[in-house]
Amino acid sequence: MNAPRPADAHPYLRAATAGLRHHTRAHTVPGAPADRLHLDTLHAHLTAAHQLLDQLTDATRSPHPAAGRHLAAAHLRLWQATAAVHDAFHTVPADQEGSASEECRPERLPEGPLVLTICQRHLAASHAIRRKTTPTDLNTQLHGRTTACSQ
């Protein structure tokens, strides 16, 4: 039997989720296209969630192999979403003339323009996933669900 869930379980994760919900409802303008600042912030959120999911997957895989496989699939899908947001960032036009180059150059320090920050973060995340995932897995389109919700 499961122990009762404490009221303050994972408060920062719940706060991050509430913040995303609030932003979705209150701060996005209907019909307004994504801008680079939004995409950079979303990319930061996705990479943080990706790192958390990576840790949970590693911790779950040994005691609960089936659950670990599902978490590994979610880990891969989240990486694909993160990579797509990074790609979208580079296709959205820069807000100002003379801003940073559109080219992704992550070897530069992250203290510079926004384009350098997202590329540096993306490069670090890509190194982490490549240690555990094959290139074939990374390029595989994942379709369908692996289980049906029975609750």
Side-chain angles (χ1 to χ4, degrees):
M1 182 169 191
N2 292 337
R5 184 174 160 193
D8 63 346
H10 313 293
Y12 296 112
L13 189 57
R14 286 185 300 130
T17 302
L20 280 174
R21 286 182 185 146
H22 175 75
H23 182 77
T24 300
R25 285 191 299 263
H27 296 292
T28 54
V29 178
D35 60 27
R36 284 184 150 198
L37 188 57
H38 263 113
L39 294 176
D40 178 59
T41 305
L42 181 59
H43 186 269
H45 185 79
L46 290 173
T47 54
H50 184 261
Q51 185 178 16
L52 174 62
L53 193 54
D54 184 41
Q55 292 171 358
L56 290 172
T57 301
D58 287 346
T60 305
R61 193 172 273 146
S62 179
H64 306 290
R69 285 190 298 274
H70 289 295
L71 289 175
H75 180 251
L76 179 57
R77 287 181 178 110
L78 186 57
W79 171 252
Q80 291 172 334
T82 303
V85 169
H86 176 255
D87 293 345
F89 176 91
H90 285 292
T91 59
V92 170
D95 295 336
Q96 307 169 6
E97 288 294 320
S99 65
S101 167
E102 302 303 308
E103 183 181 341
C104 185
R105 299 184 62 190
E107 70 276 2
R108 295 187 182 176
L109 294 175
E111 291 88 21
L114 190 60
V115 68
L116 300 180
T117 304
I118 191 171
C119 293
Q120 189 77 12
R121 182 186 323 113
H122 195 71
L123 181 65
S126 68
H127 284 304
I129 194 161
R130 286 183 183 143
R131 284 193 302 262
K132 297 180 179 183
T133 312
T134 68
T136 303
D137 290 339
L138 291 175
N139 293 320
T140 300
Q141 296 294 322
L142 299 170
H143 299 287
R145 293 165 49 134
T146 56
T147 62
C149 184
S150 60
Q151 296 179 356

